Amino acid sequence: SPDGQEVLTASYDHTAKLWSTASGECLHTFVGHRDFLKSAAFSPDGQEVLTTSCDHAAKLWSTASGECLRTFEGHVHIVTSAAFSPDGQEVLIASYDHTAKLWSTASGLCLRTFEGHGERVMSAVFSPDGQEVLTASYDHTAKLWSTASGECLHTFVGHRDFLKSAAFSPDGQEVLTTSCDHAAKLWSTASGECLRTFEGHVHIVTSAAFSPDGQEVLIASYDHTAKLWSTASGLCLRTFEGHGERVMSAVFSPDGQEV
């Protein structure tokens, strides 16, 4: 949770669970989805959680009561990811139906559909200021959109295989994409230009994250490693080895001192 007091899990058992970090006690089980869960996320104020599922829907829940406050239905295929806007007033949902949709958390109404990808959309995230939306797709591209108008501002073309994820830098000036082509790419949000390609992994790249200061990126791979790279030079600074199987995610601690 934003304050670190609670933990949220999502499972293929069709439920999500809220836990106390201190005691390990299960505080709530969120029951209502009819298929596997894909993800779960806290709202910025920690008062609500958002879950996505293979049942084509996302659900909004109260962390206080465990009650389902809203069901977001409108996608016609598996819902892959969901994110809250920085102010918590909107949610962004990505789907295998080739679209992402913007919804009002208060009314449950669909405010906008981002259409343009030719394949499943694997992730959709807000920029730090909430003014832009970033989507990553199996059509080998990522797209930058205006949250307000729904206009596609840039299409990031250069990967040779499915995209797995996309993320904004802390200042929103750059985006980072990961792909099944074994590489990650750094792009300018202003120009749409590819600034850097991080190559060195020998298998699918699963996730990538910026350090809190934006000076480094951390990339995870099916090749059993994660690598730390300089955003400025593109050099690999460190390889984290020790896992015996594919590494599915890698993230920085809030202060950037640990991975």
Side-chain angles (χ1 to χ4, degrees):
S1 59
D3 64 5
Q5 300 301 300
E6 296 165 328
V7 166
L8 179 64
T9 55
S11 171
Y12 267 30
D13 69 5
H14 302 191
T15 74
K17 290 180 181 287
L18 185 71
W19 312 79
S20 164
T21 308
S23 69
E25 177 190 2
C26 180
L27 306 174
H28 293 298
T29 298
F30 303 110
V31 179
H33 282 293
R34 303 183 309 276
D35 207 334
F36 302 149
L37 266 66
K38 298 289 287 182
S39 68
F42 281 100
S43 62
D45 64 6
Q47 299 302 299
E48 297 164 331
V49 299
L50 186 62
T51 54
T52 63
S53 170
C54 293
D55 66 9
H56 305 184
K59 290 180 178 287
L60 185 72
W61 312 80
S62 164
T63 55
S65 67
E67 176 188 4
C68 181
L69 305 174
R70 192 96 57 237
T71 298
F72 302 102
E73 293 179 303
H75 284 289
V76 294
H77 210 318
I78 290 170
V79 169
T80 52
S81 75
F84 284 93
S85 60
D87 63 7
Q89 299 303 300
E90 297 165 332
V91 297
L92 181 64
I93 300 172
S95 172
Y96 279 17
D97 68 9
H98 304 188
T99 73
K101 291 179 180 288
L102 182 72
W103 306 77
S104 164
T105 53
S107 69
L109 294 177
C110 180
L111 306 175
R112 191 159 290 104
T113 299
F114 301 98
E115 296 180 279
H117 283 294
E119 249 291 352
R120 60 183 64 172
V121 180
M122 299 308 295
S123 72
V125 295
F126 287 98
S127 59
D129 64 5
Q131 300 301 301
E132 296 167 327
V133 162
L134 178 64
T135 55
S137 171
Y138 264 30
D139 69 4
H140 303 190
T141 74
K143 289 179 181 286
L144 184 71
W145 313 78
S146 163
T147 307
S149 70
E151 177 190 0
C152 180
L153 306 174
H154 294 297
T155 298
F156 303 108
V157 178
H159 282 292
R160 303 184 307 276
D161 208 334
F162 303 149
L163 265 67
K164 299 290 285 183
S165 67
F168 281 98
S169 61
D171 63 6
Q173 300 302 300
E174 298 165 331
V175 299
L176 187 62
T177 55
T178 64
S179 171
C180 293
D181 67 7
H182 306 182
K185 288 179 179 286
L186 184 72
W187 312 80
S188 164
T189 56
S191 68
E193 177 189 2
C194 181
L195 305 175
R196 191 98 56 241
T197 299
F198 302 102
E199 293 179 300
H201 285 289
V202 295
H203 210 319
I204 289 170
V205 169
T206 52
S207 76
F210 284 93
S211 60
D213 62 7
Q215 299 302 301
E216 298 166 330
V217 297
L218 181 65
I219 300 171
S221 172
Y222 278 17
D223 68 8
H224 305 187
T225 73
K227 290 179 182 287
L228 183 71
W229 307 76
S230 164
T231 53
S233 69
L235 294 177
C236 181
L237 306 176
R238 191 159 294 105
T239 299
F240 301 99
E241 297 179 279
H243 283 293
E245 250 296 348
R246 56 184 67 172
V247 181
M248 300 308 295
S249 71
V251 297
F252 287 95
S253 60
D255 63 4
Q257 298 301 301
E258 298 168 326
V259 163

